[in-house]
Amino acid sequence: MKVKCRMDTVKELPKLKKLRHEMKKVLKESRYEHTLSVAYTAANLASIYKVDVPKALVAGMLHDCAKCLTDEERLHICYEADIPVTPLEKKQPFLLHAKVGAYLAKTKYDIEDRDILQSIASHTTGRPEMSNLEKIIFIADYMEPGRDHAPNLDTIRKEAFTNLDQALLHILTDTLAYLNSTDGEIDPQTELTWKYYDKLAIKQQF
Ligand code: DGI
Ligand code: FE
Ligand code: FE
């Protein structure tokens, strides 16, 4: 029997082991454990939704690659690389670990795939019209087995395996509720993403 092998699969898979070693070097231990869990959770979701599994592994492996930099380092990279910084990102530079992570994935870790880079860039706030890979990374980040603080995790984990958009909306709704309860300032992008998927839910009745 002929083994089906997609070109993009062939290209991304050999990078995975190297990237795992790189992440072990730049992340603190708990963040590295979270990273592995996100990668494997994303791989499971990818196989269900017919998304390229090696791409999901690579995106999961790199999604927090800028998380253990200092705020100064993140802002400096944005300045040097001409990455626009919004007023809220200037105030809360941890939000930049997504954009800066995508930049490092491209320049330092040699990832060219646009969908992987976009998945890293949008993993904290989401964005309207996300690809399935982007949704999977966003959701895997929230529900990986090591996460245990967020409410409704049992329901969200079930939804993730039956309806990606429903899980996505549930996470966004709970994140906004959490930010409101803690006086956390809401990024307009998070709000925009919630509005988009809330409208979609009304249209599609899930
Ligand atoms: O990097 P992780 O901790 O794995 O996960 P993440 O990149 O999704 O970041 C999670 C944090 O981001 C969580 O504490 C909620 C916060 N967050 C998400 N959207 C917003 C936000 N924080 C602020 N201030 N504003 C947002 O819109
Ligand atoms: Fe993150
Ligand atoms: Fe994460």
Side-chain angles (χ1 to χ4, degrees):
M1 202 177 81
K2 220 173 167 186
V3 178
K4 274 192 195 163
C5 206
R6 288 165 54 173
M7 284 303 287
D8 45 7
T9 302
V10 175
K11 210 167 134 208
E12 301 301 348
L13 200 53
K15 289 181 182 160
L16 195 67
K17 199 173 167 192
K18 191 165 178 285
L19 292 175
R20 182 154 50 82
H21 285 296
E22 293 292 324
M23 289 308 104
K24 201 168 189 336
K25 281 194 270 180
V26 299
L27 299 177
K28 63 178 188 168
E29 200 183 343
S30 58
R31 184 58 51 182
Y32 177 66
E33 295 294 332
H34 161 73
T35 290
L36 293 184
S37 287
V38 172
Y40 298 137
T41 303
N44 280 320
L45 289 169
S47 62
I48 288 192
Y49 292 105
K50 300 188 174 57
V51 167
D52 191 80
V53 170
K55 276 197 197 186
L57 284 166
V58 169
M61 198 61 77
L62 289 178
H63 82 285
D64 271 341
C65 68
K67 188 80 180 188
C68 295
L69 300 177
T70 63
D71 285 345
E72 287 71 27
E73 285 169 326
R74 281 190 273 266
L75 286 164
H76 181 71
I77 290 172
C78 287
Y79 178 75
E80 290 285 310
D82 264 337
I83 298 170
V85 177
T86 66
L88 181 61
E89 287 168 340
K90 203 166 184 183
K91 221 163 121 187
Q92 302 201 9
F94 87 91
L95 286 166
L96 285 170
H97 79 277
K99 277 187 199 172
V100 172
Y103 172 76
L104 293 179
K106 187 171 184 202
T107 55
K108 183 174 174 191
Y109 302 113
D110 205 21
I111 301 298
E112 289 166 24
D113 185 278
R114 293 175 72 92
D115 202 13
I116 294 178
L117 297 175
Q118 187 59 58
S119 300
I120 300 169
S122 64
H123 87 264
T124 304
T125 61
R127 67 176 183 117
E129 298 186 0
M130 282 192 268
S131 71
N132 271 357
L133 181 63
E134 285 180 86
K135 291 175 193 172
I136 282 171
I137 297 302
F138 184 91
I139 293 166
D141 189 23
Y142 193 86
M143 67 168 240
E144 58 92 352
R147 298 281 209 203
D148 56 4
H149 290 322
N152 307 316
L153 272 174
D154 287 351
T155 313
I156 287 167
R157 286 181 175 126
K158 277 189 202 132
E159 288 167 352
F161 285 98
T162 50
N163 187 329
L164 277 182
D165 288 341
Q166 189 177 25
L168 192 62
L169 179 62
H170 205 156
I171 293 169
L172 287 161
T173 305
D174 286 357
T175 300
L176 288 177
Y178 166 76
L179 290 171
N180 279 320
S181 74
T182 57
D183 288 333
E185 273 190 68
I186 292 165
D187 191 310
Q189 189 65 33
T190 311
E191 185 89 36
L192 207 65
T193 312
W194 176 82
K195 275 196 184 133
Y196 178 86
Y197 285 97
D198 187 55
K199 214 166 162 189
L200 196 71
I202 294 165
K203 226 162 63 187
Q204 295 183 349
Q205 304 255 312
F206 56 78

